[in-house]
Amino acid sequence: MCGIVGYTGRAQAAPILLYGLERLEYRGYDSAGITVNSGTLQTVKASGRLANLAALTNNGADLHGNCGIGHTRWATHGEPTDNNAHPHVASSGQISIVHNGIIENYRKLKDWLLARGVAFQSETDTEVVSQLIDYYYEGDLLAAVRKAIYKLEGSYALGIVAADAPDTIIAVRKDSPLIAAVTDGEAFIASDVTAIIKYCREVIYLDDNTIAVITPGNITCYNKYGKVQDLTPVTIDWDIEAAQKGGYAHFMLKEINEQPKVLRDTLAGRIVADAAGARVDLSDAGLTPEVLQAVRKVHIVGCGSAYHAGVVAKYQLEGFARIPCEVTLASEFRYSSPVVLPGTLCVVISQSGETSDSIAALREAKALGVSTLAVVNVRGSTIAREADYILYTNAGPEIAVATSKAYSAQVAAMTLLAVALAEFNSGAKRENLQAVLNDLIKLPDLEEQILSDISLVQLAASRYFNHSSVFFIGRGLDYAAALEASLKLKEISYIHSEAYAGGELKHGTISLIEPGTLVIAVAACTKLAEKIESNIKEVKTRGAEVLTITTSSLSKNFTDCGDILIEIPDTHELLTPLLTALPLQLFAYYTALNNGCDIDKPRNLAKSVTVE
Ligand code: F6R
């Protein structure tokens, strides 16, 4: 989604803005622009890649001034043209703004301004905001911004500059993330930390309805009543290297390879030993034994891969912890009149913590009066701040648009929740808990083992990369893993793919299987091995080529029914999705690579979906 960066200080603003925009590229965008303020507003915009903007400005050297705002736009209202790119400068040339979010009542406001003689240059909802601020502007930018936002409906993070306030940026936030940071004699705004972490480690997450006045070395925040707010800065615990490729060809490959470390970080401090052995301790999330004992049902919401992590968790929570569990797409939750009974723990899974649909689902659950748990990666994000309990996934910054390590960290965190609920809620036998935890502790080593030899995955990707349609099948937890594997393949390689519960094929989809169709079977669940074996034979008989992902001890069942067989090491059945994910992510990666796709920035996709 769109990205914002802003700078005011003693340095030239343009190169800092371009650098920040480059760091935000991963969020997905189709045009970019900057305004530098030196008493007059100099604005340059370009559709396409950031390199076009860099070329037009001579890498920023052609724009002089110490204050400015920049933007990467992911088009919603109006095509991705130069004209529709941000910043949007009002007709007077006095006000320039960048905006993330959607102004829902922009048509009404546009008509209102048109009736007052204001001429518009673009098709965007955003231009309404710059023209509205300009309309109210009488030399006091803060007063004009206050009047304008009073009229806005929708979501917005805004960075605003005025020609006659050449060292000031006004930042406003409502339902769209925005941070601010101050150093000696300088100050920044950004839509996420990656844009400014090079310059500062302490950042302020603006609250909803905050207006911040940013000048060199100073930030003053006001709440919606105009009262000065004291917002505490958060220290960022990762550095710029974590958000760089570190020698890998793509962020996605780096992030896939980081999974053993991420798993160790997600588990760290949450598996403790007592006299009877290992147990899960989620007190850092506020999930004390008393809180867990009160849970009667778990209702999980999330989008995309986070939803798939929820599907894995449903099998774990019901199969192992024996707690009823429902999983709903966050985008459906609030419009489906959900029946959420007392005693329900609503779990919102989100990497970014800023996904608009997931935020809405969280607020709906809170309005329904149940406890909420955020399983979130980004510290200080909206979902983390609004939920009752927060279980951080500790995956570190994830830059590739397609998630890999953050998804696994979500699955790991939810596995811990399932084990904790099994102990404190359903009174599972200690030896059953031990069996899972003993294997969970060993899992990062097994992940390293898988990542140390990926030749079969590469072979499979080189054999199958030119297929135009792929079917994934699995049963139980393997079906949940297949859902995520299918999404991974389609989003980065643009190959059509679908995931089916193996038993469901005969009810329609098998009509699509013909000689040469690729079927990828996930077959790591021992108790369902014979069932998936039959499903593989059904498609094989009809000419399908089959790639099977199975465990070392099950592989003998599949030697005569697959074309390529990839083994993962044996582990507790509950944990297999954490291992099958690795070859499946790598298959998607190498297939996309063989197809020459833009792996880290797939077309049309955004890292953080902050609009509904
Ligand atoms: C797929 C992917 C998306 C996200 C989804 C939710 O690879 O990354 O499907 O999982 O947009 O995002 P978060 O987890 O930030 O709420």
Side-chain angles (χ1 to χ4, degrees):
M1 293 270 117
C2 309
I4 288 179
V5 63
Y7 170 80
T8 181
R10 47 185 171 263
Q12 288 300 312
I16 294 175
L17 298 176
L18 287 173
Y19 171 84
L21 293 181
E22 219 177 284
R23 301 271 80 76
L24 295 174
E25 271 191 300
Y26 78 98
R27 294 165 66 96
Y29 72 104
D30 35 46
S31 56
I34 54 178
T35 291
V36 172
N37 190 357
S38 57
T40 52
L41 301 179
Q42 310 151 69
T43 300
V44 184
K45 317 200 262 191
S47 54
R49 289 295 179 212
L50 209 49
N52 301 345
L53 181 65
L56 281 178
T57 58
N58 188 17
N59 288 321
D62 289 351
L63 300 183
H64 299 282
N66 309 103
C67 173
I69 49 179
H71 192 263
T72 45
R73 172 174 187 251
W74 189 82
T76 57
H77 294 56
E79 309 227 316
T81 57
D82 291 1
N83 212 32
N84 287 334
H86 301 210
H88 283 284
V89 182
S91 314
S92 68
Q94 289 301 301
I95 305 285
S96 178
I97 76 157
V98 287
H99 166 222
N100 289 358
I102 291 181
I103 305 303
E104 286 165 4
N105 61 338
Y106 84 100
R107 270 186 196 290
K108 209 171 97 195
L109 293 172
K110 192 166 178 173
D111 289 346
W112 189 84
L113 286 162
L114 284 167
R116 280 154 185 80
V118 176
F120 281 80
Q121 328 280 329
S122 77
E123 302 153 275
T124 63
D125 53 331
T126 300
E127 193 188 346
V128 161
V129 186
S130 63
Q131 302 286 14
L132 197 60
I133 295 171
D134 192 45
Y135 179 83
Y136 288 125
Y137 187 57
E138 289 171 341
D140 180 345
L141 185 59
L142 181 59
V145 169
R146 278 210 179 102
K147 280 189 190 153
I149 61 169
Y150 182 71
K151 293 208 158 210
L152 302 183
E153 286 166 21
S155 58
Y156 43 86
L158 296 166
I160 305 154
V161 291
D164 58 8
D167 68 350
T168 304
I169 302 172
I170 294 206
V172 190
R173 175 210 154 126
K174 181 176 169 278
D175 290 341
S176 190
L178 197 60
I179 57 172
V182 64
T183 59
D184 187 22
E186 299 181 302
F188 302 81
I189 60 166
S191 44
D192 87 48
V193 173
T194 46
I196 57 174
I197 181 80
K198 181 175 163 190
Y199 311 102
C200 38
R201 304 190 69 86
E202 305 245 298
V203 304
I204 294 170
Y205 286 83
L206 299 186
D207 281 342
D208 254 0
N209 300 306
T210 297
I211 302 184
V213 179
I214 322 271
T215 50
N218 190 60
I219 298 175
T220 309
C221 296
Y222 301 91
N223 69 12
K224 67 173 163 190
Y225 306 109
K227 206 168 156 246
V228 173
Q229 274 179 308
D230 199 10
L231 297 178
T232 320
V234 171
T235 304
I236 303 304
D237 58 5
W238 48 269
D239 52 26
I240 188 70
E241 280 74 43
Q244 287 174 341
K245 281 191 204 149
Y248 285 93
H250 295 95
F251 280 110
M252 184 175 181
L253 189 59
K254 175 183 176 232
E255 288 158 7
I256 290 173
N257 278 282
E258 279 173 353
Q259 284 173 107
K261 176 187 178 311
V262 166
L263 184 53
R264 288 187 186 104
D265 289 347
T266 308
L267 302 182
R270 293 171 176 161
I271 301 181
V272 295
D274 64 15
R279 66 176 348 136
V280 172
D281 177 354
L282 297 181
S283 49
D284 69 308
L287 297 172
T288 59
E290 296 71 38
V291 171
L292 295 169
Q293 273 152 18
V295 176
R296 291 287 147 270
K297 180 181 170 184
V298 176
H299 198 137
I300 301 171
V301 288
C303 300
S305 300
Y307 168 79
H308 295 154
V311 180
V312 171
K314 176 180 165 70
Y315 283 103
Q316 295 173 323
L317 285 160
E318 295 196 329
F320 184 70
R322 307 299 296 146
I323 302 265
C325 176
E326 204 172 327
V327 198
T328 310
L329 290 163
S331 52
E332 290 295 309
F333 185 78
R334 73 169 145 165
Y335 300 118
S336 61
S337 314
V339 178
V340 184
L341 299 173
T344 298
L345 176 67
C346 180
V347 182
V348 184
I349 305 180
S350 175
Q351 187 284 128
S352 60
E354 299 293 353
T355 302
S356 166
D357 288 320
S358 304
I359 294 173
L362 169 69
R363 291 180 181 162
E364 178 73 18
K366 291 190 85 165
L368 291 167
V370 295
S371 300
T372 53
L373 165 67
V375 176
V376 162
N377 193 36
V378 177
R379 277 164 205 272
S381 56
T382 304
I383 293 175
R385 284 185 299 154
E386 293 190 15
D388 300 316
Y389 307 103
I390 313 161
L391 184 56
Y392 280 116
T393 51
N394 299 339
E398 189 175 67
I399 306 296
V401 165
T403 181
S404 55
K405 64 173 182 171
Y407 161 79
S408 314
Q410 289 164 349
V411 173
M414 291 304 289
T415 305
L416 289 173
L417 179 67
V419 178
L421 280 167
E423 174 167 9
F424 295 110
N425 194 297
S426 357
K429 287 205 190 104
R430 198 66 199 254
E431 66 257 31
N432 292 345
L433 301 170
Q434 286 299 308
V436 181
L437 293 179
N438 289 344
D439 278 9
L440 189 51
I441 293 163
K442 291 183 207 139
L443 220 57
D445 294 344
L446 300 188
E447 289 187 336
E448 272 162 7
Q449 192 182 317
I450 294 172
L451 293 168
S452 68
D453 180 6
I454 57 167
S455 49
L456 270 180
V457 180
Q458 287 168 318
L459 171 74
S462 64
R463 190 180 290 179
Y464 299 128
F465 74 95
N466 54 6
H467 280 247
S468 57
S469 186
V470 179
F471 295 93
F472 287 82
I473 56 171
R475 306 188 71 133
L477 276 166
D478 291 334
Y479 167 55
L483 287 171
E484 172 58 10
S486 170
L487 177 62
K488 211 83 309 167
L489 182 69
K490 76 179 92 169
E491 68 182 327
I492 61 167
S493 73
Y494 316 143
I495 293 174
H496 168 258
S497 78
E498 298 295 335
Y500 285 92
E504 192 58 19
L505 276 185
K506 290 192 280 298
H507 300 288
T509 315
I510 202 156
S511 67
L512 293 170
I513 306 291
E514 53 185 16
T517 305
L518 178 60
V519 174
I520 301 183
V522 190
C525 288
T526 310
K527 64 175 184 288
L528 292 166
E530 286 171 7
K531 305 288 174 199
I532 194 76
E533 188 185 336
S534 306
N535 300 138
I536 293 174
K537 287 191 170 137
E538 285 156 13
V539 294
K540 196 86 193 107
T541 312
R542 286 158 181 87
E545 294 198 53
V546 181
L547 164 64
T548 310
I549 316 286
T550 187
T551 63
S552 302
S553 54
L554 286 177
S555 65
K556 57 185 176 309
N557 300 38
F558 299 102
T559 41
D560 63 340
C561 52
D563 295 287
I564 298 184
L565 192 69
I566 295 176
E567 280 180 31
I568 55 157
D570 289 318
T571 186
H572 192 289
E573 192 135 322
L574 210 60
L575 308 177
T576 53
L578 284 162
L579 294 187
T580 52
L582 302 186
L584 290 166
Q585 291 165 350
L586 285 163
F587 177 76
Y589 173 82
Y590 283 107
T591 302
L593 191 69
N594 291 334
N595 278 305
C597 299
D598 189 354
I599 295 181
D600 285 336
K601 296 191 276 287
R603 68 183 178 210
N604 304 336
L605 289 177
K607 181 67 183 162
S608 177
V609 184
T610 49
V611 294
E612 186 177 350

PDB file of all heavy atoms in Angstrom, residues 303-307 349-355 358 383 398 401-403 410 484 487-488 491 606-609, ligand 1:
ATOM      1  N   CYS A 303      -6.417 -12.250   7.574  1.00  0.00           N
ATOM      2  CA  CYS A 303      -6.545 -12.168   6.115  1.00  0.00           C
ATOM      3  C   CYS A 303      -5.400 -12.933   5.471  1.00  0.00           C
ATOM      4  O   CYS A 303      -4.287 -12.970   6.007  1.00  0.00           O
ATOM      5  CB  CYS A 303      -6.417 -10.720   5.645  1.00  0.00           C
ATOM      6  SG  CYS A 303      -7.654  -9.641   6.318  1.00  0.00           S
ATOM      7  N   GLY A 304      -5.630 -13.481   4.303  1.00  0.00           N
ATOM      8  CA  GLY A 304      -4.563 -14.105   3.514  1.00  0.00           C
ATOM      9  C   GLY A 304      -3.824 -15.162   4.309  1.00  0.00           C
ATOM     10  O   GLY A 304      -4.419 -16.076   4.897  1.00  0.00           O
ATOM     11  N   SER A 305      -2.506 -15.036   4.342  1.00  0.00           N
ATOM     12  CA  SER A 305      -1.686 -16.038   5.033  1.00  0.00           C
ATOM     13  C   SER A 305      -1.987 -16.077   6.528  1.00  0.00           C
ATOM     14  O   SER A 305      -1.895 -17.136   7.155  1.00  0.00           O
ATOM     15  CB  SER A 305      -0.203 -15.728   4.834  1.00  0.00           C
ATOM     16  OG  SER A 305       0.100 -15.747   3.474  1.00  0.00           O
ATOM     17  N   ALA A 306      -2.307 -14.928   7.099  1.00  0.00           N
ATOM     18  CA  ALA A 306      -2.619 -14.900   8.533  1.00  0.00           C
ATOM     19  C   ALA A 306      -3.875 -15.744   8.800  1.00  0.00           C
ATOM     20  O   ALA A 306      -3.974 -16.457   9.806  1.00  0.00           O
ATOM     21  CB  ALA A 306      -2.828 -13.458   8.991  1.00  0.00           C
ATOM     22  N   TYR A 307      -4.829 -15.681   7.864  1.00  0.00           N
ATOM     23  CA  TYR A 307      -6.019 -16.536   7.962  1.00  0.00           C
ATOM     24  C   TYR A 307      -5.596 -18.007   7.882  1.00  0.00           C
ATOM     25  O   TYR A 307      -6.081 -18.852   8.646  1.00  0.00           O
ATOM     26  CB  TYR A 307      -6.999 -16.167   6.844  1.00  0.00           C
ATOM     27  CG  TYR A 307      -8.127 -17.152   6.655  1.00  0.00           C
ATOM     28  CD1 TYR A 307      -9.237 -17.141   7.504  1.00  0.00           C
ATOM     29  CD2 TYR A 307      -8.072 -18.099   5.637  1.00  0.00           C
ATOM     30  CE1 TYR A 307     -10.270 -18.058   7.330  1.00  0.00           C
ATOM     31  CE2 TYR A 307      -9.095 -19.021   5.472  1.00  0.00           C
ATOM     32  CZ  TYR A 307     -10.194 -18.995   6.317  1.00  0.00           C
ATOM     33  OH  TYR A 307     -11.196 -19.906   6.151  1.00  0.00           O
ATOM     34  N   ILE A 349      -4.937 -12.426  14.022  1.00  0.00           N
ATOM     35  CA  ILE A 349      -3.569 -12.721  13.584  1.00  0.00           C
ATOM     36  C   ILE A 349      -3.205 -11.731  12.480  1.00  0.00           C
ATOM     37  O   ILE A 349      -3.951 -11.566  11.514  1.00  0.00           O
ATOM     38  CB  ILE A 349      -3.456 -14.171  13.052  1.00  0.00           C
ATOM     39  CG1 ILE A 349      -3.945 -15.175  14.105  1.00  0.00           C
ATOM     40  CG2 ILE A 349      -2.020 -14.482  12.659  1.00  0.00           C
ATOM     41  CD1 ILE A 349      -3.865 -16.638  13.661  1.00  0.00           C
ATOM     42  N   SER A 350      -2.062 -11.072  12.635  1.00  0.00           N
ATOM     43  CA  SER A 350      -1.644 -10.104  11.617  1.00  0.00           C
ATOM     44  C   SER A 350      -0.148  -9.832  11.722  1.00  0.00           C
ATOM     45  O   SER A 350       0.346  -9.538  12.813  1.00  0.00           O
ATOM     46  CB  SER A 350      -2.421  -8.795  11.800  1.00  0.00           C
ATOM     47  OG  SER A 350      -1.950  -7.814  10.914  1.00  0.00           O
ATOM     48  N   GLN A 351       0.554  -9.918  10.619  1.00  0.00           N
ATOM     49  CA  GLN A 351       1.969  -9.561  10.619  1.00  0.00           C
ATOM     50  C   GLN A 351       2.115  -8.076  10.899  1.00  0.00           C
ATOM     51  O   GLN A 351       2.791  -7.676  11.833  1.00  0.00           O
ATOM     52  CB  GLN A 351       2.577  -9.926   9.259  1.00  0.00           C
ATOM     53  CG  GLN A 351       4.079  -9.781   9.143  1.00  0.00           C
ATOM     54  CD  GLN A 351       4.598  -8.365   8.997  1.00  0.00           C
ATOM     55  OE1 GLN A 351       5.503  -7.951   9.758  1.00  0.00           O
ATOM     56  NE2 GLN A 351       4.057  -7.589   8.085  1.00  0.00           N
ATOM     57  N   SER A 352       1.475  -7.261  10.069  1.00  0.00           N
ATOM     58  CA  SER A 352       1.675  -5.809  10.139  1.00  0.00           C
ATOM     59  C   SER A 352       0.981  -5.176  11.333  1.00  0.00           C
ATOM     60  O   SER A 352       1.412  -4.144  11.831  1.00  0.00           O
ATOM     61  CB  SER A 352       1.122  -5.160   8.874  1.00  0.00           C
ATOM     62  OG  SER A 352      -0.273  -5.437   8.766  1.00  0.00           O
ATOM     63  N   GLY A 353      -0.115  -5.785  11.748  1.00  0.00           N
ATOM     64  CA  GLY A 353      -0.929  -5.166  12.802  1.00  0.00           C
ATOM     65  C   GLY A 353      -1.696  -3.954  12.279  1.00  0.00           C
ATOM     66  O   GLY A 353      -2.288  -3.198  13.046  1.00  0.00           O
ATOM     67  N   GLU A 354      -1.672  -3.754  10.953  1.00  0.00           N
ATOM     68  CA  GLU A 354      -2.328  -2.570  10.383  1.00  0.00           C
ATOM     69  C   GLU A 354      -3.322  -2.934   9.295  1.00  0.00           C
ATOM     70  O   GLU A 354      -3.790  -2.048   8.581  1.00  0.00           O
ATOM     71  CB  GLU A 354      -1.278  -1.604   9.788  1.00  0.00           C
ATOM     72  CG  GLU A 354      -0.260  -1.064  10.771  1.00  0.00           C
ATOM     73  CD  GLU A 354      -0.861  -0.127  11.826  1.00  0.00           C
ATOM     74  OE1 GLU A 354      -2.057   0.219  11.719  1.00  0.00           O
ATOM     75  OE2 GLU A 354      -0.127   0.232  12.754  1.00  0.00           O
ATOM     76  N   THR A 355      -3.613  -4.209   9.105  1.00  0.00           N
ATOM     77  CA  THR A 355      -4.538  -4.601   8.045  1.00  0.00           C
ATOM     78  C   THR A 355      -5.934  -4.084   8.387  1.00  0.00           C
ATOM     79  O   THR A 355      -6.483  -4.411   9.453  1.00  0.00           O
ATOM     80  CB  THR A 355      -4.532  -6.130   7.888  1.00  0.00           C
ATOM     81  OG1 THR A 355      -3.197  -6.517   7.596  1.00  0.00           O
ATOM     82  CG2 THR A 355      -5.454  -6.593   6.788  1.00  0.00           C
ATOM     83  N   SER A 358      -8.653  -6.511   9.425  1.00  0.00           N
ATOM     84  CA  SER A 358      -8.380  -7.167  10.716  1.00  0.00           C
ATOM     85  C   SER A 358      -8.612  -6.195  11.873  1.00  0.00           C
ATOM     86  O   SER A 358      -9.100  -6.582  12.936  1.00  0.00           O
ATOM     87  CB  SER A 358      -6.953  -7.722  10.735  1.00  0.00           C
ATOM     88  OG  SER A 358      -6.785  -8.587   9.638  1.00  0.00           O
ATOM     89  N   ILE A 383      -3.277  -2.981  15.870  1.00  0.00           N
ATOM     90  CA  ILE A 383      -3.908  -4.174  16.463  1.00  0.00           C
ATOM     91  C   ILE A 383      -3.237  -4.501  17.791  1.00  0.00           C
ATOM     92  O   ILE A 383      -3.904  -4.832  18.780  1.00  0.00           O
ATOM     93  CB  ILE A 383      -3.847  -5.354  15.464  1.00  0.00           C
ATOM     94  CG1 ILE A 383      -4.733  -5.023  14.265  1.00  0.00           C
ATOM     95  CG2 ILE A 383      -4.297  -6.672  16.122  1.00  0.00           C
ATOM     96  CD1 ILE A 383      -4.694  -6.025  13.126  1.00  0.00           C
ATOM     97  N   GLU A 398       9.754  -7.922   8.006  1.00  0.00           N
ATOM     98  CA  GLU A 398       9.550  -8.753   6.813  1.00  0.00           C
ATOM     99  C   GLU A 398       9.323  -7.799   5.642  1.00  0.00           C
ATOM    100  O   GLU A 398       8.392  -7.000   5.656  1.00  0.00           O
ATOM    101  CB  GLU A 398       8.352  -9.684   6.981  1.00  0.00           C
ATOM    102  CG  GLU A 398       8.272 -10.702   5.842  1.00  0.00           C
ATOM    103  CD  GLU A 398       7.151 -11.712   6.071  1.00  0.00           C
ATOM    104  OE1 GLU A 398       5.976 -11.294   6.038  1.00  0.00           O
ATOM    105  OE2 GLU A 398       7.443 -12.894   6.247  1.00  0.00           O
ATOM    106  N   VAL A 401       6.920  -8.887  -0.104  1.00  0.00           N
ATOM    107  CA  VAL A 401       5.462  -8.755   0.005  1.00  0.00           C
ATOM    108  C   VAL A 401       4.838 -10.093   0.413  1.00  0.00           C
ATOM    109  O   VAL A 401       3.967 -10.154   1.287  1.00  0.00           O
ATOM    110  CB  VAL A 401       4.875  -8.231  -1.325  1.00  0.00           C
ATOM    111  CG1 VAL A 401       3.375  -8.427  -1.375  1.00  0.00           C
ATOM    112  CG2 VAL A 401       5.195  -6.750  -1.469  1.00  0.00           C
ATOM    113  N   ALA A 402       5.300 -11.177  -0.195  1.00  0.00           N
ATOM    114  CA  ALA A 402       4.756 -12.495   0.168  1.00  0.00           C
ATOM    115  C   ALA A 402       5.374 -12.930   1.496  1.00  0.00           C
ATOM    116  O   ALA A 402       6.588 -12.988   1.640  1.00  0.00           O
ATOM    117  CB  ALA A 402       5.087 -13.506  -0.914  1.00  0.00           C
ATOM    118  N   THR A 403       4.534 -13.225   2.438  1.00  0.00           N
ATOM    119  CA  THR A 403       5.061 -13.578   3.762  1.00  0.00           C
ATOM    120  C   THR A 403       5.623 -14.997   3.776  1.00  0.00           C
ATOM    121  O   THR A 403       5.122 -15.891   3.101  1.00  0.00           O
ATOM    122  CB  THR A 403       3.962 -13.425   4.828  1.00  0.00           C
ATOM    123  OG1 THR A 403       4.537 -13.771   6.099  1.00  0.00           O
ATOM    124  CG2 THR A 403       2.773 -14.324   4.572  1.00  0.00           C
ATOM    125  N   GLN A 410       3.666 -16.948  13.064  1.00  0.00           N
ATOM    126  CA  GLN A 410       2.255 -16.966  13.512  1.00  0.00           C
ATOM    127  C   GLN A 410       1.839 -18.389  13.874  1.00  0.00           C
ATOM    128  O   GLN A 410       1.184 -18.622  14.900  1.00  0.00           O
ATOM    129  CB  GLN A 410       1.348 -16.433  12.389  1.00  0.00           C
ATOM    130  CG  GLN A 410       1.494 -14.940  12.157  1.00  0.00           C
ATOM    131  CD  GLN A 410       0.916 -14.473  10.816  1.00  0.00           C
ATOM    132  OE1 GLN A 410       0.568 -15.274   9.950  1.00  0.00           O
ATOM    133  NE2 GLN A 410       0.819 -13.161  10.641  1.00  0.00           N
ATOM    134  N   GLU A 484      -1.966 -22.413   2.272  1.00  0.00           N
ATOM    135  CA  GLU A 484      -0.927 -21.388   2.266  1.00  0.00           C
ATOM    136  C   GLU A 484       0.041 -21.595   1.094  1.00  0.00           C
ATOM    137  O   GLU A 484       0.459 -20.638   0.441  1.00  0.00           O
ATOM    138  CB  GLU A 484      -0.185 -21.407   3.620  1.00  0.00           C
ATOM    139  CG  GLU A 484       1.044 -20.525   3.717  1.00  0.00           C
ATOM    140  CD  GLU A 484       0.789 -19.043   3.438  1.00  0.00           C
ATOM    141  OE1 GLU A 484      -0.374 -18.621   3.342  1.00  0.00           O
ATOM    142  OE2 GLU A 484       1.790 -18.317   3.282  1.00  0.00           O
ATOM    143  N   LEU A 487      -1.491 -20.211  -2.081  1.00  0.00           N
ATOM    144  CA  LEU A 487      -1.458 -18.743  -2.120  1.00  0.00           C
ATOM    145  C   LEU A 487      -0.050 -18.256  -2.469  1.00  0.00           C
ATOM    146  O   LEU A 487       0.139 -17.353  -3.286  1.00  0.00           O
ATOM    147  CB  LEU A 487      -1.900 -18.166  -0.765  1.00  0.00           C
ATOM    148  CG  LEU A 487      -1.842 -16.643  -0.645  1.00  0.00           C
ATOM    149  CD1 LEU A 487      -2.774 -15.965  -1.638  1.00  0.00           C
ATOM    150  CD2 LEU A 487      -2.183 -16.183   0.765  1.00  0.00           C
ATOM    151  N   LYS A 488       0.949 -18.903  -1.842  1.00  0.00           N
ATOM    152  CA  LYS A 488       2.341 -18.488  -2.070  1.00  0.00           C
ATOM    153  C   LYS A 488       2.686 -18.609  -3.542  1.00  0.00           C
ATOM    154  O   LYS A 488       3.244 -17.705  -4.132  1.00  0.00           O
ATOM    155  CB  LYS A 488       3.229 -19.401  -1.221  1.00  0.00           C
ATOM    156  CG  LYS A 488       4.493 -18.841  -0.713  1.00  0.00           C
ATOM    157  CD  LYS A 488       4.381 -18.034   0.560  1.00  0.00           C
ATOM    158  CE  LYS A 488       3.345 -16.981   0.504  1.00  0.00           C
ATOM    159  NZ  LYS A 488       2.941 -16.348   1.669  1.00  0.00           N
ATOM    160  N   GLU A 491       0.662 -16.006  -5.798  1.00  0.00           N
ATOM    161  CA  GLU A 491       0.931 -14.576  -5.660  1.00  0.00           C
ATOM    162  C   GLU A 491       2.279 -14.167  -6.231  1.00  0.00           C
ATOM    163  O   GLU A 491       2.419 -13.063  -6.735  1.00  0.00           O
ATOM    164  CB  GLU A 491       0.774 -14.090  -4.212  1.00  0.00           C
ATOM    165  CG  GLU A 491       1.791 -14.614  -3.250  1.00  0.00           C
ATOM    166  CD  GLU A 491       1.542 -14.137  -1.828  1.00  0.00           C
ATOM    167  OE1 GLU A 491       1.055 -13.028  -1.632  1.00  0.00           O
ATOM    168  OE2 GLU A 491       1.866 -14.902  -0.906  1.00  0.00           O
ATOM    169  N   ALA A 606       0.256  -5.445  -2.241  1.00  0.00           N
ATOM    170  CA  ALA A 606       0.858  -4.523  -1.287  1.00  0.00           C
ATOM    171  C   ALA A 606       1.183  -5.290  -0.015  1.00  0.00           C
ATOM    172  O   ALA A 606       0.506  -6.255   0.316  1.00  0.00           O
ATOM    173  CB  ALA A 606      -0.124  -3.409  -0.969  1.00  0.00           C
ATOM    174  N   LYS A 607       2.221  -4.871   0.671  1.00  0.00           N
ATOM    175  CA  LYS A 607       2.635  -5.594   1.878  1.00  0.00           C
ATOM    176  C   LYS A 607       1.620  -5.432   2.991  1.00  0.00           C
ATOM    177  O   LYS A 607       1.323  -6.352   3.720  1.00  0.00           O
ATOM    178  CB  LYS A 607       4.010  -5.080   2.317  1.00  0.00           C
ATOM    179  CG  LYS A 607       4.575  -5.759   3.562  1.00  0.00           C
ATOM    180  CD  LYS A 607       4.902  -7.206   3.277  1.00  0.00           C
ATOM    181  CE  LYS A 607       5.406  -7.961   4.483  1.00  0.00           C
ATOM    182  NZ  LYS A 607       5.289  -9.425   4.267  1.00  0.00           N
ATOM    183  N   SER A 608       1.145  -4.228   3.145  1.00  0.00           N
ATOM    184  CA  SER A 608       0.263  -3.972   4.274  1.00  0.00           C
ATOM    185  C   SER A 608      -1.020  -3.370   3.712  1.00  0.00           C
ATOM    186  O   SER A 608      -0.980  -2.297   3.102  1.00  0.00           O
ATOM    187  CB  SER A 608       0.995  -3.013   5.214  1.00  0.00           C
ATOM    188  OG  SER A 608       0.189  -2.673   6.273  1.00  0.00           O
ATOM    189  N   VAL A 609      -2.124  -4.083   3.859  1.00  0.00           N
ATOM    190  CA  VAL A 609      -3.352  -3.662   3.180  1.00  0.00           C
ATOM    191  C   VAL A 609      -4.167  -2.777   4.133  1.00  0.00           C
ATOM    192  O   VAL A 609      -4.991  -3.253   4.915  1.00  0.00           O
ATOM    193  CB  VAL A 609      -4.163  -4.878   2.682  1.00  0.00           C
ATOM    194  CG1 VAL A 609      -5.386  -4.428   1.895  1.00  0.00           C
ATOM    195  CG2 VAL A 609      -3.291  -5.750   1.799  1.00  0.00           C
TER     196      VAL A 609
HETATM  197  C1  F6R B   1       0.499 -13.364   1.530  1.00  0.00           C
HETATM  198  C2  F6R B   1       0.409 -12.236   2.435  1.00  0.00           C
HETATM  199  C3  F6R B   1      -0.933 -11.686   2.730  1.00  0.00           C
HETATM  200  C4  F6R B   1      -1.023 -11.274   4.206  1.00  0.00           C
HETATM  201  C5  F6R B   1      -2.368 -10.571   4.463  1.00  0.00           C
HETATM  202  C6  F6R B   1      -2.519 -10.183   5.912  1.00  0.00           C
HETATM  203  O1  F6R B   1       1.825 -13.758   1.344  1.00  0.00           O
HETATM  204  O2  F6R B   1       1.401 -11.738   2.922  1.00  0.00           O
HETATM  205  O3  F6R B   1      -1.934 -12.589   2.396  1.00  0.00           O
HETATM  206  O4  F6R B   1      -0.902 -12.411   4.997  1.00  0.00           O
HETATM  207  O5  F6R B   1      -2.443  -9.415   3.660  1.00  0.00           O
HETATM  208  O6  F6R B   1      -1.521  -9.289   6.306  1.00  0.00           O
HETATM  209  P1  F6R B   1      -1.202  -9.068   7.833  1.00  0.00           P
HETATM  210  O7  F6R B   1      -0.649 -10.357   8.369  1.00  0.00           O
HETATM  211  O8  F6R B   1      -0.200  -7.951   7.860  1.00  0.00           O
HETATM  212  O9  F6R B   1      -2.498  -8.715   8.505  1.00  0.00           O
END
